[in-house]
């Protein structure tokens, strides 16, 4: 075997090793699987009612009967965290999906338009992106009012500009690609060219962005809910549980700590999964 062939073989083996699942990836996937099960089958993890109060059992420390302890109203914190995953994940995934679709449409339109239309949409995207996402979500909620649906819409609107910007950049690259030029030369209609070549190749990078963005959307939603702009008590939502537990940190730390740990773990898990998908995508491109 020549030196060149040996070097290529080592490079190929190195790339395969890099693409192999790591312990961190397995841990992230396992945690996300548990979250999915808690959404679909919360009864697998707890038999307690997340909204049932029991003043006689208020502020009990974590123990055999209540692994995560109880809150100020005697509600089981583990049950509230598990059932709260339905609300938090629904808001996070829903907002990300809306932002993905809207960003793909807006960004693709900007990239496909002529110079004037592209310039107008691009400037509009940049103006909106000048506002911090959390502040923009606050403004949206101030306009449409608080609530679960308002929270989802606000978080989605806040992150749409980021998706639109990425979609525009990739659309500009794809529409100048050789296969798109060849399709035009062969007389393929513009609509079919966009649907068959431009949108699918623009969607890939946005999907990677969306996987990592789910955790950010969940964090933003929890922050807004923490401020009282999301679901109302006694809804078991992670941000609301944190808000209710902040006044008991000195005497009952478990009320706020456990949902905070779950939120942090969710963000880390989605980031690890997104980076792995991104690495696989880059490896295929090479």
């Amino acid at each position: 075997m020549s030196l060149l062939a040996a070097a290529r073989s080592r490079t190929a083996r190195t790339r395969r090793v890099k693409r192999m699942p790591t312990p961190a990836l397995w841990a992230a996937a396992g945690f996300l699987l548990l979250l999915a099960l808690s959404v679909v089958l919360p009864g697998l993890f707890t038999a307690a009612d997340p909204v049932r109060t029991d003043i006689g059992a208020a502020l009990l420390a974590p123990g055999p009967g209540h692994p995560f302890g109880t809150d100020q109203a005697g509600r089981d914190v583990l049950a509230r965290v598990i059932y709260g995953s339905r609300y938090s994940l629904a808001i996070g995934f829903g907002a990300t999906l809306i932002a993905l679709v809207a960003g793909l449409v807006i960004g693709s339109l900007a990239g496909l338009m002529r110079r004037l239309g592209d310039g107008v949409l691009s400037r509009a995207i940049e103006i909106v992106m000048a506002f911090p996402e959390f502040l923009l979500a606050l403004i949206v909620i101030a306009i449409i009012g608080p609530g679960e649906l308002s929270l989802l819409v606000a978080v989605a609107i806040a992150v749409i500009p980021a998706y639109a910007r990425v979609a525009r950049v990739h659309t500009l690259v794809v529409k100048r690609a050789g296969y798109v030029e060849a399709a035009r030369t062969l007389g393929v209609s513009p609509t079919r060219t966009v649907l068959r070549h431009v949108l699918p190749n623009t969607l890939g990078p946005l999907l990677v962005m969306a996987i990592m963005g789910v955790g950010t959307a969940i964090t933003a939603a929890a922050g807004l809910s923490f401020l009282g702009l999301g679901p109302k008590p006694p809804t078991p939502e992670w941000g609301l549980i944190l808000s209710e537990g902040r006044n008991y940190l000195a005497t009952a730390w478990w009320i706020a700590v456990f949902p905070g740990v779950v939120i942090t773990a969710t963000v880390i898990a989605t980031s690890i999964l997104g980076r792995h998908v991104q690495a696989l995508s880059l490896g295929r491109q090479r």
Side-chain angles (χ1 to χ4, degrees):
M1 181 183 294
S2 65
L3 293 177
L4 180 59
R8 288 176 177 173
S9 178
R10 284 194 300 270
T11 302
R13 286 198 301 270
T14 302
R15 288 178 179 174
R16 284 196 297 271
V17 169
K18 288 182 178 179
R19 295 176 194 173
M20 288 177 62
T22 62
L25 179 62
W26 284 116
F31 178 77
L32 293 176
L33 178 60
L34 288 177
L35 277 184
L37 287 174
S38 70
V39 172
V40 180
L41 299 169
L44 287 177
F45 303 93
T46 178
D49 188 337
V51 297
R52 180 178 177 274
T53 60
D54 183 3
I55 300 302
L59 302 179
L60 292 179
H66 302 281
F68 283 9
T70 61
D71 64 7
Q72 69 279 4
R75 296 170 297 200
D76 187 81
V77 176
L78 174 62
R80 289 181 64 75
V81 171
I82 289 174
Y83 280 88
S85 62
R86 289 182 171 182
Y87 295 91
S88 297
L89 292 181
I91 293 172
F93 277 97
T96 303
L97 179 61
I98 293 173
L100 173 65
V101 175
L104 177 63
V105 172
I106 296 172
S108 298
L109 283 176
L112 292 170
M113 282 182 173
R114 296 186 183 275
R115 184 172 239 175
L116 179 60
D118 181 25
V120 171
L121 276 177
S122 298
R123 297 297 84 76
I125 292 171
E126 290 174 1
I127 290 172
V128 177
M129 288 191 70
F131 293 89
E133 292 179 357
F134 194 79
L135 176 60
L136 186 58
L138 280 174
I139 294 173
V140 173
I141 288 186
I143 295 173
I144 64 178
E148 296 173 26
L149 183 59
S150 299
L151 191 62
L152 187 152
V153 173
V155 174
I157 292 176
V159 296
I160 282 175
Y163 287 88
R165 189 174 185 179
V166 173
R168 174 185 173 272
V169 171
H170 284 277
T171 299
L172 290 173
V173 173
V174 172
K175 79 175 186 178
R176 295 186 177 93
Y179 53 87
V180 174
E181 295 292 340
R184 290 174 182 166
T185 304
L186 293 172
V188 178
S189 66
T191 302
R192 187 175 179 183
T193 301
V194 170
L195 294 177
R196 187 170 182 179
H197 298 292
V198 178
L199 288 182
N201 287 285
T202 304
L203 181 61
L206 289 184
L207 288 176
V208 176
M209 183 178 176
I211 293 173
M212 292 188 285
V214 168
T216 303
I218 291 174
T219 304
L224 292 168
S225 185
F226 182 88
L227 297 176
L229 301 175
K232 300 301 180 184
T235 305
E237 194 272 336
W238 291 345
L240 184 57
I241 299 172
L242 281 171
S243 179
E244 293 176 340
R246 72 184 188 278
N247 296 324
Y248 298 90
L249 286 174
T251 56
W253 53 267
W254 51 87
I255 301 176
V257 167
F258 285 119
V261 169
V262 173
I263 293 172
T264 303
T266 303
V267 174
I268 293 173
T270 53
S271 297
I272 292 173
L273 181 61
R275 292 184 183 280
H276 182 72
V277 174
Q278 184 180 41
L280 290 176
S281 177
L282 292 175
R284 290 195 188 98
Q285 292 176 5
R286 291 175 186 175

